[in-house]
Amino acid sequence: MALLEVDDLHLHYAAGDRVVRAVDGVSFVIAGKGEAVGVVGESGSGKSSLANAVMRLLPKGVARFDGSIRLNGRDLTTLSDEAYRREIRWRRIAMVFQGALNVLNPVIRVGDQIAEPLLLDDRVEKRAARARVEGLLERVGLSAAFYGRYPHELSGGQKQRVVIATALVHDPDLLILDEPTSALDVSVQAQIMNLLKDLKEDPGISMLFITHDIGLASDLCDTIAVAYAGEHVEYGPADRVLLEPRHPYTQRLLASLPRLHGAERPRAMPGEPPDATALPLGCRFHPRCPYRFDACDRHPPALPIAADGHARCWLNDREVAGERFETHLPALAVRGG
Amino acid sequence: MGEPPPLVALDDVSVVFRTRSGLFRSSALRAVDGVSLAVTRGETLALVGESGSGKTTLGRVSLRLVAATWGRVSFDGRDVTDVAEEQLGWLRRRAQIVFQDPFSSLNPYMRVAELVGEPLLIDGVRSRQERLERVHRALEAVDLVPAARAAAKYPTAMSGGQRQRVGIARALVRDPEYIVADEPVSMIDASSRIDILDLLRGLQLRRGVAFLYITHDIASARHFADRIAVMHRGAVVELGDAGAVIDRPVHPYTRALIAAVPEPDPANRHRRRAVGGADGADGDFRVVEGCPHGPLPGGRRPVLLDMPGDPGHFVACHVMSAAGATAPG
Ligand SMILES: Nc1ncnc2c1ncn2[C@@H]1O[C@H](COP(=O)(O)OP(=O)(O)OP(=O)(O)O)[C@@H](O)[C@H]1O
Ligand SMILES: Nc1ncnc2c1ncn2[C@@H]1O[C@H](COP(=O)(O)OP(=O)(O)O)[C@@H](O)[C@H]1O
Ligand code: SF4
Ligand SMILES: [Mg+2]
Ligand SMILES: [Mg+2]
């Protein structure tokens, strides 16, 4: 039984008389303890919306929210909001929000901020809560002495560690991280990534790691999902996705990253991101796709790749793609091809 | 001797900030510490290093936007270290800055035409027609076309990448010879960065604009700069051709920066990365994390020396100088 199984999830927003399909038929699996799935995509591709959907933290103006989310086999979709709040959110599934560095309360000592949910929800003794928080501070690479500090006394990396400790306070199975390093510089980013790698090992926290940088996802994650216009256009084991992408968008994403070594120059992503309220018909990537052909005016389904992946691109359908299946598909694996 | 002077030259420049830490106490922070660096006409020099290492301050002192506490700054052979601001109009036209944050650096209540044209108003270009033409030329140079349509927009109606193009157009409208681009793409989606960097590189190659490209991303410096200078705690610790610095890094801090890059290759995954600067570490230059030789003895910083057998590749390291590296010049 998998830790988290998300199947055909939809979260649409009403935007005036239009609809934004922020999450549109997304499926993925986080198999077990210590496994990380990375969701990579441009701004607006629906990454934060996916995280909010799994946390069931929905804004006003939701036009559609359905699909199935199973945690350790238990269907969460049928849980009432009250049961979700009491049993799931923060307790089994916790989250580090995008831009979370700025949400620490400036006038409360960081230790007390971490302890707050313990003192609120449980009949935990103050002393026990403090001991637990000190342990957490050490777990995230700070010392217990940080308990009494205020946010302005911390560097960006230290604040992010506090935010992560806050999310760990109830010992969740799954931690969702929404762009946790985008406000940090490379050295501090590497430190936070080291911490996440540690937490994956011990205590074996599973992660849904959201980023616009496929390099970061590959550093941490076992599985990668590539988000585009609300869909996961490619999904599979990280090594396979990096070496043999099966979607042209993944290929272009990889080609756009400057490499330290090797002669290929990074190449700009063609075209502009789609307008969320007026998505292209057919394959949503087709206006930017160098491989498009006549089939692409139909919307591609998630075509299976091996036993553990899929891609929403007609090139993966032998019948539809014809000889392209033999010629174009392998070309996707060639960086800059 | 017969050589033309570099476009921008910093000679042993230090910048010290006095910060008040109490009613009577004040402390001094040496953001830039004895840097000598020259930007050649038409080159892109990348300045890399972690947060707080002094990159922005160095960029600003090269524009005389902050004053050098010690040392000399010159532009096109003219010493500008102590020149009064009122006398610097010419420098304000010939040297520009592009900021990191395309979301907050542009006034949301001004149209693109006004934003890009504003520097011309400041320069006293009276003719509306001339201003309009120059604004359109600048917008075309950054691929915001058709220019007339882009000019009528508000920045809030644009994507991060497009806003940064507006920021660049605003710098370009004065036809500068030197632009400090301070982390011009760090707030933009990874997949849109190359567009902007290609644009800057094009301006350099086609128009001969010299760039100081400040960045955390040493991999991008490899592809978009001619030379790389690595800053650590206020000092340049390694300097050389982009390829040499990345393929043959010498200084332990440069090596740590390179190792911190999460390249998406299966061989590079799940690695613990060496990192410069512990979180919140103080600015003691004697400590270089990852240096196999431990903290420096004594109070002197090592100076930049040319690597034997690798001309133009400079490293500031006591071990290297003991090994026979020589001072430039
Ligand atoms: N006006 C100022 N007054 C006091 N201290 C300052 C001032 N400007 C910068 N500093 C300090 O000088 C040091 C260098 O800052 P600088 O902004 O140049 O670093 P940086 O390398 O650009 O960092 P980042 O990558 O975060 O932009 C830092 O310790 C900073 O806090
Ligand atoms: N509360 C909301 N109401 C309406 N549209 C929204 C809301 N939140 C996000 N969106 C839209 O949904 C799409 C996906 O957004 P988001 O999930 O934030 O993407 P990402 O995190 O990948 O940048 C975007 O077009 C965004 O503008
Ligand atoms: S379905 Fe067609 S347009 Fe879409 S990614 Fe594949 S080849 Fe390109
Ligand atoms: Mg987001
Ligand atoms: Mg800076």
Side-chain angles (χ1 to χ4, degrees):
Chain A
M1 196 197 317
L3 175 75
L4 185 80
E5 278 172 279
V6 170
D7 195 36
D8 205 24
L9 190 67
H10 294 83
L11 175 58
H12 295 179
Y13 306 110
D17 54 358
R18 306 265 193 108
V19 168
V20 177
R21 298 161 168 259
V23 179
D24 205 23
V26 163
S27 306
F28 64 92
V29 176
I30 301 182
K33 221 168 143 65
E35 166 155 332
V37 171
V39 181
V40 182
E42 291 167 292
S43 149
S45 57
K47 305 180 299 296
S48 297
S49 297
L50 172 63
N52 292 334
V54 175
M55 284 291 276
R56 214 193 274 183
L57 287 171
L58 304 178
K60 288 208 177 65
V62 169
R64 175 177 178 190
F65 178 44
D66 57 43
S68 108
I69 303 176
R70 305 176 79 81
L71 187 70
N72 293 316
R74 181 177 178 200
D75 188 356
L76 301 186
T77 339
T78 55
L79 279 188
S80 70
D81 285 348
E82 167 59 20
Y84 206 92
R85 185 190 63 73
R86 212 175 47 236
E87 298 172 42
I88 307 295
R89 191 187 305 132
W90 300 118
R91 294 184 176 272
R92 306 275 45 91
I93 306 177
M95 178 162 168
V96 170
F97 291 97
Q98 186 167 7
L101 296 189
N102 312 316
V103 304
L104 290 173
N105 189 325
V107 297
I108 301 180
R109 300 186 302 170
V110 296
D112 291 336
Q113 295 193 50
I114 301 171
E116 196 178 273
L118 289 176
L119 297 170
L120 266 181
D121 285 9
D122 297 335
R123 261 134 267 151
V124 179
E125 248 188 278
K126 258 206 154 145
R127 186 138 19 100
R130 179 160 185 133
R132 164 118 185 95
V133 169
E134 287 176 349
L136 277 172
L137 284 168
E138 275 162 16
R139 190 78 212 62
V140 298
L142 300 169
S143 67
F146 275 77
Y147 192 104
R149 296 232 199 153
Y150 289 91
H152 75 265
E153 298 173 307
L154 306 184
S155 70
Q158 290 167 341
K159 277 189 216 164
Q160 192 60 294
R161 288 173 196 267
V162 167
V163 171
I164 291 171
T166 309
L168 296 181
V169 75
H170 286 304
D171 239 340
D173 305 313
L174 176 67
L175 183 58
I176 303 176
L177 299 132
D178 192 357
E179 312 229 11
T181 65
S182 56
L184 305 173
D185 86 40
V186 265
S187 312
V188 181
Q189 168 175 285
Q191 291 167 358
I192 296 294
M193 295 303 287
N194 283 344
L195 168 64
L196 296 179
K197 288 170 206 164
D198 291 346
L199 293 171
K200 240 179 118 210
E201 293 268 308
D202 172 24
I205 296 181
S206 305
M207 301 183 186
L208 183 64
F209 180 80
I210 292 173
T211 176
H212 63 93
D213 181 348
I214 196 167
L216 277 183
S218 84
D219 192 25
L220 181 78
C221 300
D222 308 285
T223 303
I224 290 181
V226 179
Y228 189 81
E231 300 180 316
H232 286 184
V233 295
E234 173 138 21
Y235 174 72
D239 282 348
R240 202 273 296 152
V241 172
L242 297 176
L243 289 178
E244 288 172 50
R246 296 289 208 102
H247 196 287
Y249 179 65
T250 315
Q251 178 208 30
R252 289 303 155 133
L253 211 53
L254 286 164
S256 72
L257 221 74
R259 305 297 175 116
L260 277 171
H261 305 289
E264 321 91 329
R265 284 183 65 77
R267 305 207 313 166
M269 179 70 72
E272 289 282 318
D275 173 352
T277 59
L279 293 175
L281 296 175
C283 170
R284 291 180 188 168
F285 187 58
H286 86 262
R288 302 169 83 177
C289 182
Y291 299 96
R292 71 168 168 266
F293 59 108
D294 44 10
C296 306
D297 54 11
R298 284 181 293 136
H299 186 233
L303 294 160
I305 296 164
D308 49 7
H310 65 247
R312 279 191 190 267
C313 165
W314 285 118
L315 291 176
N316 295 277
D317 185 316
R318 190 187 285 271
E319 257 165 43
V320 173
E323 64 190 27
R324 291 179 181 83
F325 188 83
E326 316 290 345
T327 54
H328 290 28
L329 209 49
L332 294 183
V334 181
R335 224 197 282 156
Chain B
M1 269 108 276
E3 272 181 44
L7 185 59
V8 181
L10 303 179
D11 182 16
D12 204 11
V13 167
S14 295
V15 178
V16 176
F17 292 115
R18 304 232 159 256
T19 49
R20 194 172 273 267
S21 53
L23 196 48
F24 302 108
R25 281 183 303 150
S26 82
S27 53
L29 189 144
R30 197 177 288 217
V32 173
D33 189 6
V35 169
S36 298
L37 197 63
V39 182
T40 312
R41 216 168 258 290
E43 81 163 333
T44 294
L45 173 62
L47 197 56
V48 303
E50 71 198 44
S51 198
S53 57
K55 306 180 296 295
T56 296
T57 308
L58 188 70
R60 293 173 65 86
V61 78
S62 79
L63 294 169
R64 253 295 312 267
L65 292 173
V66 292
T69 313
W70 296 292
R72 315 296 312 171
V73 180
S74 54
F75 188 92
D76 198 13
R78 290 160 78 172
D79 190 313
V80 294
T81 321
D82 302 314
V83 180
E85 182 62 41
E86 308 82 77
Q87 308 292 310
L88 280 179
W90 62 275
L91 181 65
R92 298 285 166 254
R93 280 189 289 281
R94 293 174 64 182
Q96 298 295 325
I97 186 162
V98 172
F99 297 99
Q100 168 179 10
D101 185 355
F103 299 93
S104 68
S105 61
L106 300 175
N107 183 336
Y109 301 108
M110 284 167 82
R111 285 179 200 276
V112 167
E114 297 160 327
L115 283 165
V116 175
E118 191 179 43
L120 298 177
L121 270 180
I122 295 169
D123 291 349
V125 178
R126 287 286 175 77
S127 151
R128 223 183 105 79
Q129 187 58 31
E130 184 187 344
R131 284 204 310 269
L132 201 68
E133 274 166 24
R134 287 177 67 179
V135 165
H136 282 196
R137 249 187 288 141
L139 291 174
E140 277 156 17
V142 298
D143 291 331
L144 284 174
V145 284
R149 226 170 83 201
K153 288 192 181 169
Y154 286 96
T156 41
M158 300 177 124
S159 70
Q162 286 178 327
R163 287 188 217 194
Q164 196 55 295
R165 286 173 193 272
V166 175
I168 296 166
R170 195 175 143 94
L172 274 184
V173 75
R174 285 167 149 160
D175 281 321
E177 293 143 76
Y178 174 57
I179 296 179
V180 173
D182 191 354
E183 299 195 38
V185 296
S186 65
M187 306 280 281
I188 299 175
D189 258 17
S191 62
S192 312
R193 289 179 182 167
I194 299 308
D195 260 340
I196 299 290
L197 294 175
D198 272 340
L199 170 66
L200 297 179
R201 189 67 162 167
L203 294 172
Q204 180 216 337
L205 297 176
R206 283 196 305 276
R207 299 190 172 201
V209 182
F211 282 92
L212 186 68
Y213 168 47
I214 298 179
T215 181
H216 288 144
D217 179 6
I218 195 167
S220 74
R222 156 88 195 234
H223 297 280
F224 294 95
D226 303 295
R227 293 190 300 152
I228 296 177
V230 179
M231 267 193 106
H232 180 246
R233 294 184 175 159
V236 173
V237 296
E238 186 153 359
L239 169 70
D241 288 339
V245 169
I246 287 179
D247 295 338
R248 301 185 294 280
V250 178
H251 199 277
Y253 181 68
T254 312
R255 292 174 185 224
L257 272 186
I258 290 172
V261 178
E263 281 216 291
D265 285 318
N268 188 43
R269 300 176 50 218
H270 306 301
R271 281 183 29 210
R272 285 195 70 80
R273 297 179 191 284
V275 286
D279 262 2
D282 59 11
D284 186 347
F285 65 79
R286 283 167 301 189
V287 182
V288 178
E289 296 76 13
C291 178
H293 306 289
L296 275 182
R300 268 182 322 111
R301 253 189 199 278
V303 291
L304 265 186
L305 297 173
D306 210 344
M307 294 286 300
D310 200 354
H313 188 169
F314 301 90
V315 180
C317 161
H318 274 314
V319 180
M320 289 317 303
S321 49
T326 53

